[in-house]
């Protein structure tokens, strides 16, 4: 059954301390009830435990974590799972700016939509967005995959180094040096493997966005491109 | 970093909504975003044809002497009906006033160094240095009722910490218009210079003051409130989520990069806006979604009808 933590109006520090005390005592399933969008919940958890938040969470939930399975029955604020190394985060609602920023590994699933700069500077891992994504998603991404089942906002994949973004809906505008490719069979297998078990219908068409690699090196002949970027 | 909040009671039923305590509740959650100062702008029951004025009494001379001087100056322009001194503020009810636009600018000229913090048929601004809790202990804002209002907690980054530099900002010479801002208007000096050439007087060095001046100027050129808000998205540089409130409207504008947070929640009965969701969850009850607007967005909510005077 696991242990229960009552969040209510308590501070992040108190809630996090109780979570850590429970983990130390050997608990591996923790339910946190009645969260009211407190910040920094479950930051820096390094054990493979399962934590469920019943209610919305504030900034940086699950940030810097390495291993746990975090579930949020509600929405998340800015910087969800920032810099996480491994584990999973699932959100039933929406996520604010910079969700999955700089993640190195693990899987982050947002059933709703994400605001600006989801997956900014990703260095690995997988970010799945059930709805649409906002401005500058995948900005400066270095590795890893973003799957957007809905529509993508402007500036998609701006200044990507590496990595890939799949978009099931419409792309409002591509970012600098982002190019659209046709997904191959391997990509389709990857999409079905990751979407179907999580209950997402696989859209009939997907666009694959990758780096055009024209910004990797400065080229005198492409002065105009650089002018536009900088 | 600053915290901004807004609340509008959709029924527009005048004095019934406890706007003061709702804004205070939300601001307390955002205290950590701005410990320097806190304030609220509350749109209460309309006192038409009278105007509510809140004037900051300067230190130096005793407050009672300052209050006497201000009352004398004001009564030369318009009859004073009620007068109360609360800490640094002189609160006056004056009238009847046929046209606030023609009374306020010359009156502010006469007041010279005494700053008119707010003026309007409905609007009252209360702001002070320190935490939002002091707003209640010092001014009893939790008792204020009305139709809608906005609030602010300030972390000063570019100008001094005192009452004048705190937010919300009313707009000098204009009745019933107030703004709160989180961010930086980086072309502030350029905009300010342009307005000063037109004869506009600035009372602070706070970049946020220019927002209200800009909106009022656009509207004086015949633009609507919405058009003024929308053109600000192009005319302001920098980072901003700001709220603006008029006698019967509450609006937000969010910059083109989405640099500053803003969460919006709506129910059948109310609209609530805050920098962080924690402010909404800690204060409002019931089941609601809080959504972050996209970039380059403006949205306006109007009251179904103007607030009417209550006995």
């Amino acid at each position: 059954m696991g242990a229960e933590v009552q969040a209510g109006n308590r501070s992040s520090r108190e809630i996090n301390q109780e979570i850590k005390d429970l983990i130390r005592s050997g608990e591996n399933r923790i339910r946190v009830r009645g969260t009211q969008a407190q910040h920094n919940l479950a930051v820096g958890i390094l054990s493979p435990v399962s934590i469920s938040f019943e209610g919305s969470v504030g900034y940086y939930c699950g940030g810097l974590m390495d291993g746990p399975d975090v579930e949020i029955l509600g929405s998340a604020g800015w910087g969800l799972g920032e810099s996480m190394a491994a584990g999973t985060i699932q959100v039933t609602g929406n996520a604010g700016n910079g969700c999955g920023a700089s993640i190195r590994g693990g899987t982050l699933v947002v059933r709703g939509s994400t605001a600006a700069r989801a997956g900014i500077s990703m260095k690995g891992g997988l970010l799945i967005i059930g709805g649409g994504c906002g401005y500058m998603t995948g900005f400066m991404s270095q590795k890893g995959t973003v799957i957007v089942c809905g529509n993508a906002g402007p500036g998609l994949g701006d200044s990507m180094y590496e990595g890939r973004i799949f978009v099931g809906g419409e792309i409002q505008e591509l970012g600098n040096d982002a190019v659209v490719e046709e997904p191959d069979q391997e990509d389709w297998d990857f999409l079905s493997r990751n979407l179907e078990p999580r209950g997402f219908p696989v859209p009939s068409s997907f666009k694959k966005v990758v780096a055009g690699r024209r910004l990797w090196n400065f080229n005198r002949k492409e002065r105009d491109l650089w002018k536009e970027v900088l | 970093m600053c915290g901004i909040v807004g609340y509008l009671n959709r029924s527009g039923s005048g004095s019934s909504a406890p706007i003061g305590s709702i804004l205070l509740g939300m601001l307390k959650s955002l205290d950590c975003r701005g410990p320097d100062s806190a304030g609220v702008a509350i749109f209460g029951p309309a006192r038409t044809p009278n105007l509510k004025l809140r004037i900051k009494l300067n230190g130096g001379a005793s407050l009672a002497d300052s209050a006497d001087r201000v009352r004398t100056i004001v009564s030369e322009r318009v009859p004073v009906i009620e007068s109360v001194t609360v800490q640094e503020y002189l609160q006056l009810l004056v009238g009847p006033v046929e046209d606030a636009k023609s009374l306020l600018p010359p009156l502010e000229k006469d007041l010279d160094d005494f700053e008119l913090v707010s003026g309007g048929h409905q609007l009252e601004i209360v702001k002070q240095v320190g935490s939002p809790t002091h707003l209640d202990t010092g001014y009893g804002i939790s008792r204020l009722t009305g139709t809608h209002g906005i609030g602010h907690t300030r972390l000063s980054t570019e100008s001094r910490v005192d009452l004048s530099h705190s937010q919300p900002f009313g707009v000098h010479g204009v009745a019933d218009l107030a703004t709160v801002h989180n961010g930086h208007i980086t072309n502030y000096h350029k905009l300010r210079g342009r307005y000063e050439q037109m004869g506009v007087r600035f009372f602070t060095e706070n970049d946020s003051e220019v927002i209200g001046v800009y909106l009022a100027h656009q509207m004086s050129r015949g633009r609507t409130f919405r058009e003024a808000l929308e053109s600000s998205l192009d005319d302001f540089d920098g980072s901003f989520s700001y709220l603006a409130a008029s006698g019967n409207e509450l609006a937000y504008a969010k910059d083109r990069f989405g640099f500053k947070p803003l969460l919006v929640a709506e129910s059948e009965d109310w609209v609530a806006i805050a920098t962080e969701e924690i402010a909404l969850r800690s204060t409002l009850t019931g089941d609601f979604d809080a959504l972050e607007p996209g970039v380059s967005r403006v949205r306006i909510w109007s009251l179904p009808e103007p607030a009417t005077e209550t006995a």
Side-chain angles (χ1 to χ4, degrees), chain B:
Chain B
M1 209 160 78
C2 293
I4 59 177
V5 299
Y7 184 89
L8 179 137
N9 175 22
R10 284 190 197 265
S11 63
S13 54
S15 62
S16 64
I19 303 292
S21 69
I22 293 168
L23 292 178
L24 182 68
M26 294 203 280
L27 286 179
K28 280 180 180 169
S29 299
L30 301 181
D31 197 357
C32 56
R33 289 188 71 96
D36 289 341
S37 62
V40 292
I42 291 176
F43 290 80
R47 303 296 296 264
T48 325
N50 301 325
L51 276 185
K52 298 188 258 194
L53 306 179
R54 278 183 177 252
I55 297 155
K56 181 189 148 198
L57 299 171
N58 296 328
S62 81
L63 290 182
D65 288 349
S66 295
D68 283 340
R69 273 179 57 207
V70 169
R71 262 191 301 269
T72 312
I73 296 167
V74 173
S75 57
E76 278 170 15
R77 290 266 175 199
V78 60
V80 174
I81 302 164
E82 284 169 28
S83 166
V84 186
T85 307
V86 182
Q87 303 213 17
E88 281 181 272
Y89 289 94
L90 179 65
Q91 294 170 219
L92 299 178
L93 184 69
V94 301
V97 177
E98 258 182 42
D99 178 17
K101 274 201 299 289
S102 52
L103 170 73
L104 290 174
L107 177 64
E108 290 204 47
K109 212 165 204 176
D110 295 349
L111 285 168
D112 194 25
D113 280 345
F114 291 106
E115 187 186 348
L116 183 64
V117 175
S118 71
H121 300 294
Q122 294 149 266
L123 172 65
E124 285 184 86
I125 290 180
V126 184
K127 53 186 180 179
Q128 43 96 64
V129 172
S131 122
T133 315
H134 299 154
L135 278 175
D136 203 32
T137 49
Y139 302 95
I141 66 153
S142 64
R143 292 193 302 274
L144 295 178
T145 57
T147 49
H148 59 299
I150 54 180
H152 191 269
T153 57
R154 177 171 185 234
L155 180 83
S156 154
T157 49
E158 76 334 296
S159 59
R160 86 181 72 125
V161 176
D162 66 12
L163 190 151
S164 294
H165 285 73
S166 307
Q167 298 194 43
F169 281 117
V171 183
H172 295 286
V174 180
D176 294 317
L177 183 61
T179 63
V180 288
H181 168 221
N182 172 24
H184 287 102
I185 306 295
T186 47
N187 59 342
Y188 156 71
H189 288 286
K190 205 164 152 188
L191 290 168
R192 177 176 174 152
R194 201 180 301 159
Y195 288 121
E196 281 180 332
Q197 279 181 351
M198 294 177 196
V200 176
R201 180 178 170 196
F202 282 75
F203 283 74
T204 75
E205 271 98 46
N206 188 328
D207 59 332
S208 307
E209 187 184 3
V210 81
I211 295 173
V213 173
Y214 174 91
L215 296 176
H217 176 245
Q218 294 295 327
M219 288 192 280
S220 74
R221 294 169 57 205
R223 290 194 163 168
T224 62
F225 189 45
R226 173 176 297 281
E227 287 164 347
L229 290 157
E230 283 173 352
S231 62
S232 81
L233 299 178
D234 289 326
D235 290 339
F236 292 159
D237 283 343
S239 60
F240 55 86
S241 284
Y242 74 81
L243 307 182
S246 71
N248 61 347
E249 288 154 315
L250 170 67
Y252 72 72
K254 201 172 165 191
D255 72 50
R256 70 191 89 157
F257 303 111
F259 279 141
K260 292 292 170 184
L262 199 70
L263 272 298
V264 179
E266 290 184 73
S267 80
E268 273 181 25
D269 304 322
W270 48 259
V271 177
I273 310 171
T275 304
E276 295 179 12
E277 189 173 348
I278 194 167
L280 304 171
R281 299 275 165 209
S282 66
T283 307
L284 304 163
T285 53
D287 197 18
F288 59 85
D289 282 334
L291 298 172
E292 178 140 19
V295 298
S296 292
R297 295 283 164 86
V298 163
R299 196 161 164 204
I300 302 176
W301 290 267
S302 301
L303 290 172
E305 60 196 37
T308 49
E309 189 172 351
T310 51

Side-chain angles (χ1 to χ4, degrees), chain A residues 20-40:
Chain A
K20 287 191 172 173
D21 290 345
L22 286 166
I23 294 171
R24 209 166 290 136
S25 69
E27 197 58 69
N28 58 13
R29 290 184 72 80
I30 299 165
R31 273 170 61 175
V32 185
R33 310 197 69 169
T35 55
Q36 295 189 346
Q38 286 96 337
H39 300 317
N40 308 323

